[in-house]
Amino acid sequence: MKKDIRSMDKDALRDFFVSRGDSAFRGNQVYQWLWQKGAHQFEDMTNLSKETRALLDEHFVINHIAVDQMQRSVDGTIKNAVRLHDGLIVESVLIPTKKRTTACVSSQVGCSLDCKFCATARLKKMRNLNADEIYDQVVAIDRESRLYQNMPLSNIVFMGMGEPLMNYNNVLKAIEKITSEEGLGMSPRRITVSTSGIPKMIRKMADEEVKFNLAVSLHSAIDEVRSSIMPFNETFPLSELRAALEYWYSKTKNRITYEYVVWKGVNDQQKDIDALVRFCKFSPAKVNLIEYNPIDGGDYQQASEEAIQNYIKTLEEHHITVTVRRSRGKDIDAACGQLANKS
Ligand code: SAH
């Protein structure tokens, strides 16, 4: 089988040419075609000789993604169904606002976690995405942003399908490409990785002093409640998550964002709010209250407006930043927790 050329770093490409009596510079040229100019085939690499292109064709493939279907919501949100080289599908979303456009990208096909309220959890995990498959989603959304919003992509959130920290190496490699001058040259400060909270990986990120933002899908700061909606919490209880986050903060001094949905009868009481405050007050924090997007056959219901207001009031009293994320793209199943390859 031919090798996916984009699994090779620049040095490996340079070595490939040197070992064949060509110059290392040829490797730089190919690298630029692959990552900066987004070439889909070797034929497109017009400053290479015919022989060089044939040589590449003989040894390698470019496993480029294809946007199979693009849906546009009445609110301007765009959802791409993205076909991978082996026929599997993931989804990514472009979320425009007046001042910026955000790409929401997937890191896995399906998901191995079992959050009861999330549509993606119903697809079993098929495989991890490669770094180039993650990168390609961003490039596709950047193009759509320029085309439909007249501005380049400004932010990226890893909040699509999958658990990014279960595919850590590829997510990190993709972010390196996105932020490098040879890729898109975006600032890591504009990138947010969202995790359901895997303590060991949060510590690893802290040790590696990554520069992007961290968001944690908390949804409850009471073990019993969290385990009932996110069963893997039994394996990684809140005490371990909290210790890992303290470690993250001690290393990065970066504010932590918590994603939080309030459901009727699940986490809408004062004791839930108080537990949240106790959990997150050790560092600068932002709580993002996400509107619940009902999923087919789900048992959950968005809490009352009063319960949400109670959350906002108490958090503000404790000087914790709170924002409410109104969902976008609901009519095309592009909102949080709705990515499930329906079409
Ligand atoms: N696995 C990662 C990335 C997914 S991010 C994580 O868990 O953080 C998607 C966000 O949407 C998460 O905060 C998730 O908990 C939330 N979510 C999932 N299903 C939802 C739903 N039906 N309505 C609203 N938010 C949902």
Side-chain angles (χ1 to χ4, degrees):
M1 218 171 74
K2 295 189 203 176
K3 189 169 173 165
D4 173 10
I5 191 166
R6 287 188 301 169
S7 68
M8 294 167 74
D9 60 18
K10 203 196 242 173
D11 283 338
L13 280 173
R14 289 161 61 96
D15 291 347
F16 172 82
F17 285 105
V18 171
S19 73
R20 275 164 183 77
D22 201 337
S23 71
F25 174 70
R26 204 71 61 223
N28 298 354
Q29 284 180 307
V30 172
Y31 191 85
Q32 204 183 38
W33 275 112
L34 292 173
W35 294 107
Q36 214 166 26
K37 301 187 196 164
H40 285 215
Q41 42 198 0
F42 298 119
E43 235 172 83
D44 299 343
M45 304 183 174
T46 46
N47 60 359
L48 303 182
S49 70
K50 238 180 152 169
E51 291 71 31
T52 305
R53 282 183 267 160
L55 177 74
L56 289 170
D57 212 22
E58 192 184 313
H59 288 85
F60 304 109
V61 285
I62 304 177
N63 282 335
H64 217 280
I65 64 161
V67 176
D68 243 16
Q69 192 194 26
M70 191 197 97
Q71 286 173 278
R72 271 190 100 187
S73 157
V74 289
D75 66 22
T77 302
I78 291 176
K79 182 169 82 170
N80 291 335
V82 166
R83 186 162 32 86
L84 310 173
H85 68 92
D86 55 3
L88 292 171
I89 308 273
V90 291
E91 293 176 331
S92 25
V93 182
L94 162 67
I95 307 144
T97 61
K98 272 210 186 75
K99 290 203 199 100
R100 59 188 196 185
T101 63
T102 301
C104 175
V105 298
S106 293
S107 55
Q108 299 181 311
V109 187
C111 189
S112 57
L113 299 179
D114 45 10
C115 303
K116 299 291 185 206
F117 46 82
C118 179
T120 306
R122 304 209 175 149
L123 309 169
K124 69 175 195 318
K125 190 198 127 193
M126 315 279 288
R127 71 167 172 88
N128 284 333
L129 295 191
N130 299 327
D132 46 270
E133 292 169 327
I134 297 170
Y135 180 81
D136 288 350
Q137 292 176 64
V138 175
V139 171
I141 299 256
D142 180 46
R143 283 202 188 124
E144 290 168 347
S145 176
R146 289 167 197 268
L147 188 62
Y148 296 103
Q149 302 301 132
N150 288 316
M151 57 175 140
L153 182 64
S154 53
N155 296 72
I156 302 172
V157 295
F158 281 79
M159 296 187 186
M161 294 173 156
E163 168 51 50
L165 298 193
M166 301 272 235
N167 184 16
Y168 181 74
N169 289 341
N170 289 327
V171 166
L172 226 66
K173 267 194 236 163
I175 291 178
E176 263 164 39
K177 289 286 186 312
I178 293 164
T179 52
S180 87
E181 283 310 320
E182 274 160 331
L184 297 177
M186 281 180 74
S187 161
R189 298 276 174 224
R190 296 183 168 276
I191 301 176
T192 300
V193 170
S194 174
T195 176
S196 51
I198 299 165
K200 192 175 88 193
M201 300 312 292
I202 292 172
R203 285 175 188 274
K204 188 171 156 96
M205 287 194 323
D207 283 333
E208 291 176 2
E209 293 178 25
V210 298
K211 296 286 185 290
F212 48 79
N213 305 301
L214 177 65
V216 178
S217 299
L218 192 64
H219 302 308
S220 173
I222 301 174
D223 268 315
E224 208 189 350
V225 177
R226 195 167 192 260
S227 295
S228 74
I229 50 179
M230 304 170 83
F232 68 87
N233 184 69
E234 305 247 345
T235 320
F236 309 118
L238 287 163
S239 56
E240 280 177 35
L241 175 58
R242 165 70 188 259
L245 291 172
E246 282 181 31
Y247 185 69
W248 159 272
Y249 182 69
S250 74
K251 289 276 190 175
T252 66
K253 295 282 176 266
N254 251 347
R255 178 171 82 171
I256 301 169
T257 297
Y258 297 93
E259 293 159 277
Y260 203 102
V261 178
V262 189
W263 290 282
K264 194 169 278 174
V266 174
N267 57 356
D268 57 356
Q269 301 299 308
Q270 191 61 40
K271 69 169 178 14
D272 298 294
I273 306 176
D274 295 339
L276 171 61
V277 169
R278 275 197 305 278
F279 186 91
C280 63
K281 72 176 180 207
F282 72 92
S283 82
K286 178 170 108 176
V287 172
N288 200 336
L289 295 174
I290 311 178
E291 186 184 341
Y292 177 55
N293 301 302
I295 58 172
D296 290 347
D299 301 332
Y300 297 96
Q301 246 183 305
Q302 165 90 10
S304 66
E305 190 52 36
E306 191 194 341
I308 311 250
Q309 289 306 325
N310 282 343
Y311 264 93
I312 295 175
K313 183 167 149 276
T314 310
L315 288 165
E316 283 179 344
E317 277 166 11
H318 286 86
H319 309 289
I320 297 168
T321 307
V322 51
T323 54
V324 178
R325 190 196 293 169
R326 299 274 170 226
S327 279
R328 308 282 307 272
K330 270 206 264 197
D331 54 328
I332 54 168
D333 282 324
C336 302
Q338 292 189 315
L339 301 184
N341 290 346
K342 261 208 216 164
S343 44

